[in-house]
Amino acid sequence: MNEAKILVERHGSILTIGINRPAKRNAIDVEMFFEMATAYGVLDQDPELRVGIVHAVGDHFCAGLDLPKWQDIITNGRMPEYPEGSCDPFAMADGRICRKPIIFAVQGICYTFGVETMLAADVRIAARDTRFAQLEVKRGIFPFGGATVRLVHEIGWGHAMRYLLTGDEMSAEEAYRLGLVQELVEPGQQLDRAMQLASSIAAQAPLAVQATLASARESLRDGEDLAFAGLFPRLMQLSGSEDVKEGLQAFMERRPGAFAGR
């Protein structure tokens, strides 16, 4: 019996999604992509889940797409239908974007698909041995998972072009300096640190966390004016929730809130 290439595990309110194809340096075939999309959908839809973590088994996070397996999709220029209830790991498909925070924990090589899905996530932890690269120009294609948009936003035009147009590797230290990753840890500690951060996020009011994420994303996708205009309407949607009452009560009683997500 073949071991699953995508490992999905629940840890209380945290869902971990593990890439498990170490013999191929965790290169992503089409089946793995849609298994990830299905796992993202579970995170999005299950009210008991509050945070997701994407990590990888072995020495490397991801060598990128298993290109021969993607040849038909690249030639046709469009993705197949997503499984019902799934969410796009690239976070580009309207109506299929996970509404809950996702943390990436990466190590070793993190190329192409690894970088682009990481860019679509919310917090990124990298081992100090991580090497990042968008290699598409070396293969005759270009980054079609969002890096031409998101990497520019994250690290600026000149820095983004320096790596997108050459396909050169970026060290973990350089990625941290430029703001591509938020923390560096010793190799082997990246998943533990991601779990710590996920636990901290999961302890907060879930509806408030999701509203914060939605407002920030609205600013990036639709512009600041629409995001500003949506602040108080979004706040009003939360105002009658049990979590708001619990938050105020916890504040007055000088204790952590016990939030139910209602």
Side-chain angles (χ1 to χ4, degrees):
M1 182 176 180
N2 294 329
E3 190 173 7
K5 295 179 185 177
I6 300 295
L7 306 176
V8 182
E9 300 176 348
R10 293 170 180 262
H11 305 266
S13 58
I14 299 169
L15 188 73
T16 60
I17 303 168
I19 304 173
N20 184 35
R21 199 187 181 196
K24 295 290 187 180
R25 299 196 298 180
N26 290 322
I28 302 293
D29 62 28
V30 177
E31 179 185 7
M32 292 168 70
F33 178 85
F34 287 112
E35 287 181 10
M36 287 186 69
T38 297
Y40 275 47
V42 170
L43 173 63
D44 180 71
Q45 295 295 322
D46 191 328
E48 300 300 318
L49 295 171
R50 299 186 179 185
V51 188
I53 296 174
V54 177
H55 66 103
V57 175
D59 295 333
H60 301 289
F61 180 76
C62 180
L65 295 179
D66 189 345
L67 283 177
K69 303 291 180 63
W70 286 81
Q71 188 61 45
D72 288 345
I73 291 174
I74 292 172
T75 301
N76 293 334
R78 61 184 179 85
M79 293 290 286
E81 289 294 321
Y82 281 71
E84 184 176 355
S86 66
C87 290
D88 181 8
F90 290 134
M92 295 190 300
D94 289 338
R96 287 198 298 267
I97 298 177
C98 183
R99 294 168 292 179
K100 297 175 185 176
I102 296 176
I103 301 171
F104 265 52
V106 303
Q107 78 277 3
I109 60 173
C110 181
Y111 292 165
T112 60
F113 173 89
V115 176
E116 293 191 283
T117 50
M118 186 185 75
L119 283 166
D122 305 298
V123 182
R124 306 142 201 164
I125 309 299
R128 293 184 183 277
D129 67 350
T130 312
R131 300 168 352 245
F132 303 93
Q134 294 287 167
L135 302 169
E136 287 87 349
V137 293
K138 296 178 181 289
R139 308 290 183 255
I141 56 176
F142 82 108
F144 58 87
T148 54
V149 177
R150 291 193 175 104
L151 195 62
V152 170
H153 173 79
E154 293 284 346
I155 68 175
W157 178 272
H159 291 306
M161 292 303 111
R162 183 258 177 274
Y163 289 101
L164 290 174
L165 300 181
T166 63
D168 286 350
E169 284 189 350
M170 179 191 299
S171 69
E173 289 76 13
E174 183 71 353
Y176 178 72
R177 184 183 76 83
L178 294 175
L180 178 59
V181 299
Q182 283 64 65
E183 292 189 22
L184 297 180
V185 298
E186 294 305 313
Q189 296 180 5
Q190 63 277 358
L191 180 54
D192 288 342
R193 180 56 182 146
M195 287 292 292
Q196 291 172 356
L197 286 174
S199 296
S200 180
I201 294 171
Q204 314 312 317
L207 298 180
V209 167
Q210 292 171 42
T212 300
L213 197 57
S215 178
R217 288 174 174 172
E218 185 175 49
S219 175
L220 291 179
R221 291 176 66 90
D222 302 324
E224 291 183 357
D225 289 344
L226 282 177
F228 282 136
L231 292 177
F232 274 90
R234 201 180 297 278
L235 180 63
M236 291 300 294
Q237 292 174 359
L238 296 177
S239 62
S241 70
E242 293 180 18
D243 280 356
V244 167
K245 297 174 185 177
E246 166 61 13
L248 293 174
Q249 190 68 28
F251 173 77
M252 291 187 291
E253 296 176 1
R254 299 180 182 274
R255 61 171 174 81
F259 300 108
R262 297 191 295 270

